[in-house]
Amino acid sequence: MFRKKSTWIIIAIALVIIIGIAGISGKFAKAKVGAPAAAQDKLIVTFYLENTPDSTIDAIKAGDPVRETVQNSNFGKITDIQSGESIFWANKDSGEFVASPREGYSSLSLTMETMGTINNNGVTIDKSPYYVGQTISLYAGKSFLKDGRISKIEKAD
């Protein structure tokens, strides 16, 4: 009688072990490939920053790589750099906001060429969504560009 009970317990333990091994091997088995990723297009992305130190702009050159800081998305390479008069917003005594330039600072318009997919809601670059008007920070060449906005996204010719 004792032998019959122990045999059933051993069989039950063996089944649990076999099921566990099958489940774990299924987890580590090669993943099934789903639908292919959407075709990517060559894109032109323009980034605008109202004010940044002139030394930051001087450290950026055409052809430098660009990465977004949060998602670490590859924004490709710089194709054009344009600087202008900086825009600093200040409060007057009357409470009115006024834009004024600041010495040693300039505005920056940075154009980059990257690969991505344009969709109805914006663009996907390196599996991360981005939108015109979105505030992002970039590493461009040897510079860190904090809190600028994507001002334009279009397909390259």
Side-chain angles (χ1 to χ4, degrees):
M1 174 106 169
F2 178 70
R3 228 164 176 17
K4 280 189 175 184
K5 283 185 183 178
S6 65
T7 304
W8 285 107
I9 292 173
I10 291 171
I11 291 173
I13 291 172
L15 282 174
V16 169
I17 291 172
I18 291 170
I19 291 171
I21 290 172
I24 290 172
S25 65
K27 286 258 185 201
F28 291 106
K30 185 177 178 182
K32 293 181 181 171
V33 178
Q40 291 195 339
D41 298 311
K42 188 180 284 190
L43 304 175
I44 304 296
V45 178
T46 306
F47 173 81
Y48 179 74
L49 195 57
E50 290 180 340
N51 57 69
T52 191
D54 290 335
S55 59
T56 302
I57 296 171
D58 294 340
I60 303 170
K61 305 291 181 234
D64 282 349
V66 182
R67 295 200 78 73
E68 192 265 335
T69 60
V70 175
Q71 301 292 334
N72 201 29
S73 297
N74 179 4
F75 270 64
K77 297 202 180 287
I78 297 169
T79 58
D80 188 35
I81 304 164
Q82 294 181 3
S83 61
E85 191 171 68
S86 66
I87 302 171
F88 272 91
W89 293 95
N91 221 356
K92 285 179 135 183
D93 292 336
S94 64
E96 180 183 1
F97 278 101
V98 178
S100 60
R102 183 173 173 191
E103 190 175 326
Y105 286 75
S106 296
S107 63
L108 172 66
S109 180
L110 197 64
T111 304
M112 300 154 285
E113 191 174 90
T114 188
M115 297 300 288
T117 306
I118 294 179
N119 52 47
N120 294 336
N121 298 323
V123 65
T124 301
I125 299 172
D126 270 357
K127 300 179 185 174
S128 299
Y130 296 96
Y131 308 91
V132 172
Q134 182 177 355
T135 300
I136 61 172
S137 296
L138 298 174
Y139 297 117
K142 298 176 185 172
S143 295
F144 173 63
L145 305 171
K146 183 172 174 34
D147 297 337
R149 287 189 179 82
I150 297 174
S151 58
K152 190 175 186 182
I153 300 170
E154 61 187 0
K155 280 187 181 181
D157 293 331

